[in-house]
Amino acid sequence: MIRSTIYFLFSIIITFTATAQEAVFHFDSDKIIYKDLAYFGSLSKSVVKEQVEGEKQLNFNPAISFNGVADYLKVNPELYSGFTQMTAITVFCPFGKTEEDIALWELDSELAMSTTKATNKSMELEYEGIEMDKPVIHTYIQYYKKNNRFLSTLLEELSIGNQSFTNTNFKGQIAELLLFNKVLNDEELQKITSSLALKYGISLKENQDYLAADNSIVWDATTDSLFSNRITGIACDSKNHLLQKQSTSTENPGFLTIGVEAIAASNNNNTGSLPDQNYLVWGDNNQVFEFINPDEESATDLAVSKRKWLMNATGIETLNTQLKIDAASILEEGIKNLFLVINENGIDEFNNAYEGLRFVYPSSIDENGIITYDNVQWDTNNSGSDVFAFVAEQNVLLFESNENNAASLNGQDLHFGLYPNITADGNYAIAIQLEEARVIEITVFDAMGRKQDTKSLEGSRFYFLGNEFIDKPGIYNVLLTIDQKSVNRKLIVR
């Protein structure tokens, strides 16, 4: 069966394609040359283009703003299809009062959609649950008997932001509209809404799994339920028409943002590379963003933030990301700096033995309290997930900090220790604290000078490697190199 879709994405190109799987009409307000497009009210080609390139976006993606007075767009979709079956998916953010009925769109004066009901010439179907001032993915499904001639002729007029049934206009932002001339099955619908949810930073309701195009689950509503709040992600999935390089939850935009390489003003402006079939999806535990009091916490726990996040990684590539968090309220309480701390085993445990933990030191803190972390990598051990939180710098204490672990290298004092030393089973940890963030290299040699291991790290002034292992007894030399100058420590393995 041919599936007809009207797909409005306010970004770059106008196209119309048709395959056995989909027929897509793609609207782009940046190249307004399509002859059947008309503007009403305060909208015009230049105004829409300015909106698309402006700051009023949904998760860094364009959306068109309508003033609720006279603004709307009209386009000829030129679709001839029997809509006895239909699935309509609309992404929008309405402005107004909850009880208001606000027009969304109308198709050939035959079917009209608003924030509270669907209307045709013979009936009204009311629904609820749409909240004002909050972005939403709205799905409408209808099924008529085959002998019903409803919407079975040439469809020549689609009004976006207006409907003649009520002579009302939409106030808010509309990002996308997709129409299918079939009732999508659960799997099809789940894939499309998963893609739209990640693209626009909107959490799916009713504990839904997030599906990739290949049917793999990138967020499991059951196993990940403790962190199923403000679910957000970055992903490239060409079969799902998804390329989202940076994201923030539209429930709390700007609080936590993660992007490939460097976060830009918009998703289209992000120049980072994101390979196909790669997903990073995160959600939080819905706790307040404040810190556990170290005096009240047990002696074995690190005083991290109460709000924690689960990060699920799907794909074969380890992505290099930038993370920004709005810590203005925390910094005002006397905390000067925050480490990003990642449990690489994907569990909600942050103990002061630092087992399985990786710390990332911030690259910058701006005057508004936005802390930036560069070169953040996820799922480095291929476990499939990480749990991350934040900790005040003054609550990260190196164990056994003493003169034997102090050194000076390239003009800066540092701490460089191995714990325990001597190790009875070959397991040990490396702790390094610098005065400023530097690129470091750690190399391990045996007593004969043969290289056993080497690794390069960057982006922090504090490094803790808690899962190091040497399987043979002996004396080893652990070398720390910064800017081609080195300092060493001897490690004894019994």
Side-chain angles (χ1 to χ4, degrees):
M1 177 183 293
I2 297 294
R3 180 173 66 193
S4 297
T5 308
I6 301 175
Y7 178 94
F8 287 88
L9 169 61
F10 302 92
S11 53
I12 303 176
I13 306 172
I14 295 175
T15 57
F16 181 86
T17 60
T19 70
Q21 298 299 317
E22 59 185 348
V24 181
F25 178 88
H26 186 179
F27 174 85
D28 178 345
S29 41
D30 195 24
K31 295 184 183 294
I32 302 301
I33 54 175
Y34 190 57
K35 62 181 180 180
D36 290 322
L37 182 68
Y39 303 90
F40 296 87
S42 67
L43 297 179
S44 65
K45 177 179 177 180
S46 59
V47 168
V48 170
K49 186 176 186 297
E50 183 178 345
Q51 287 186 11
V52 167
E53 297 173 350
E55 297 180 355
K56 292 184 178 180
Q57 302 173 334
L58 293 181
N59 193 29
F60 304 104
N61 289 297
I64 301 299
S65 295
F66 298 80
N67 64 13
V69 179
D71 288 355
Y72 69 99
L73 301 171
K74 189 174 288 187
V75 63
N76 181 354
E78 295 183 344
L79 291 177
Y80 183 84
S81 191
F83 274 90
T84 53
Q85 294 187 38
M86 173 190 281
T87 303
I89 304 173
T90 315
V91 182
F92 63 96
C93 180
F95 302 153
K97 297 179 181 179
T98 303
E99 64 273 12
E100 285 185 287
D101 179 43
I102 302 178
L104 278 172
W105 51 266
E106 180 179 279
L107 186 57
D108 252 18
S109 299
E110 295 283 351
L111 174 66
M113 201 68 54
S114 74
T115 54
T116 65
K117 60 189 175 185
T119 307
N120 61 36
K121 291 183 176 180
S122 60
M123 59 165 284
E124 285 186 354
L125 175 65
E126 295 185 351
Y127 43 77
E128 58 185 19
I130 294 175
E131 298 181 57
M132 293 296 146
D133 305 317
K134 291 186 178 181
V136 63
I137 301 171
H138 176 264
T139 301
Y140 166 79
I141 295 173
Q142 71 177 22
Y143 183 86
Y144 286 87
K145 294 180 179 179
K146 289 185 177 180
N147 60 358
N148 190 298
R149 297 180 58 82
F150 175 70
L151 291 181
S152 60
T153 58
L154 179 64
L155 305 176
E156 297 183 304
E157 188 172 278
L158 173 66
S159 296
I160 304 171
N162 170 271
Q163 56 179 234
S164 61
F165 283 97
T166 57
N167 193 29
T168 58
N169 293 78
F170 178 76
K171 184 176 182 180
Q173 294 174 288
I174 297 178
E176 289 197 34
L177 168 63
L178 298 95
L179 300 181
F180 300 84
N181 69 337
K182 62 175 287 187
V183 174
L184 297 178
N185 62 41
D186 291 344
E187 185 179 280
E188 292 170 328
L189 188 59
Q190 205 166 353
K191 289 180 184 179
I192 294 169
T193 53
S194 296
S195 178
L196 293 172
L198 294 178
K199 180 175 180 179
Y200 292 105
I202 302 171
S203 292
L204 296 178
K205 296 182 179 180
E206 300 174 355
N207 299 318
Q208 298 180 54
D209 292 338
Y210 285 64
L211 290 185
D214 62 2
N215 294 323
S216 61
I217 298 175
V218 296
W219 186 271
D220 191 307
T222 301
T223 60
D224 303 333
S225 60
L226 293 179
F227 295 91
S228 288
N229 302 283
R230 288 165 284 273
I231 300 169
T232 319
I234 57 178
C236 179
D237 193 336
S238 58
K239 292 182 179 178
N240 257 0
H241 307 291
L242 177 63
L243 179 57
Q244 188 64 28
K245 294 184 178 182
Q246 56 189 52
S247 277
T248 185
S249 171
T250 52
E251 291 183 39
N252 194 2
F255 174 68
L256 178 77
T257 306
I258 299 177
V260 178
E261 296 184 11
I263 296 166
S266 70
N267 186 57
N268 289 335
N269 289 337
N270 187 314
T271 59
S273 176
L274 186 55
D276 200 10
Q277 300 300 308
N278 275 259
Y279 281 79
L280 286 177
V281 183
W282 61 92
D284 69 66
N285 62 356
N286 206 31
Q287 297 297 306
V288 294
F289 187 62
E290 62 183 27
F291 288 93
I292 299 168
N293 189 332
D295 296 329
E296 298 176 357
E297 199 60 27
S298 71
T300 60
D301 289 330
L302 193 62
V304 299
S305 56
K306 293 181 180 179
R307 179 172 292 187
K308 302 166 189 173
W309 291 259
L310 173 67
M311 173 70 78
N312 285 342
T314 304
I316 61 174
E317 300 287 340
T318 299
L319 300 178
N320 193 34
T321 67
Q322 183 181 72
L323 183 150
K324 292 179 181 285
I325 188 165
D326 185 348
S329 61
I330 295 296
L331 297 179
E332 289 175 357
E333 296 175 0
I335 297 174
K336 296 181 179 180
N337 205 355
L338 300 180
F339 285 116
L340 167 64
V341 55
I342 302 171
N343 186 313
E344 297 185 313
N345 296 320
I347 56 177
D348 183 6
E349 291 183 7
F350 297 86
N351 60 63
N352 61 15
Y354 304 155
E355 295 174 359
L357 303 185
R358 176 161 51 92
F359 294 82
V360 181
Y361 194 79
S363 306
S364 65
I365 305 176
D366 71 14
E367 60 184 9
N368 297 315
I370 305 298
I371 304 181
T372 300
Y373 304 84
D374 291 327
N375 305 310
V376 183
Q377 295 187 339
W378 304 97
D379 194 32
T380 57
N381 62 356
N382 297 315
S383 66
S385 63
D386 296 323
V387 173
F388 68 95
F390 296 86
V391 61
E393 181 178 9
Q394 58 262 40
N395 292 328
V396 179
L397 302 176
L398 295 172
F399 15 3
E400 301 178 27
S401 183
N402 55 49
E403 293 182 0
N404 294 329
N405 296 325
S408 181
L409 194 62
N410 285 335
Q412 68 168 311
D413 295 330
L414 58 88
H415 171 104
F416 175 29
L418 309 176
Y419 308 95
N421 195 3
I422 307 165
T423 171
D425 58 4
N427 290 290
Y428 69 102
I430 303 173
I432 300 166
Q433 189 155 7
L434 311 173
E435 289 183 336
E436 59 184 32
R438 302 291 288 274
V439 177
I440 69 169
E441 184 175 86
I442 299 172
T443 310
V444 181
F445 299 92
D446 65 13
M448 301 298 294
R450 293 172 295 202
K451 185 186 295 186
Q452 304 296 303
D453 187 27
T454 186
K455 58 190 60 159
S456 294
L457 303 168
E458 61 179 317
S460 182
R461 73 176 189 88
F462 177 59
Y463 299 95
F464 184 83
L465 291 79
N467 298 305
E468 302 303 296
F469 177 72
I470 295 177
D471 61 353
K472 294 182 180 179
I475 298 176
Y476 293 84
N477 191 32
V478 181
L479 198 70
L480 168 64
T481 303
I482 302 175
D483 294 337
Q484 299 182 337
K485 293 186 179 181
S486 303
V487 62
N488 72 295
R489 296 283 184 264
K490 288 193 179 192
L491 175 68
I492 299 175
V493 180
R494 285 183 175 173

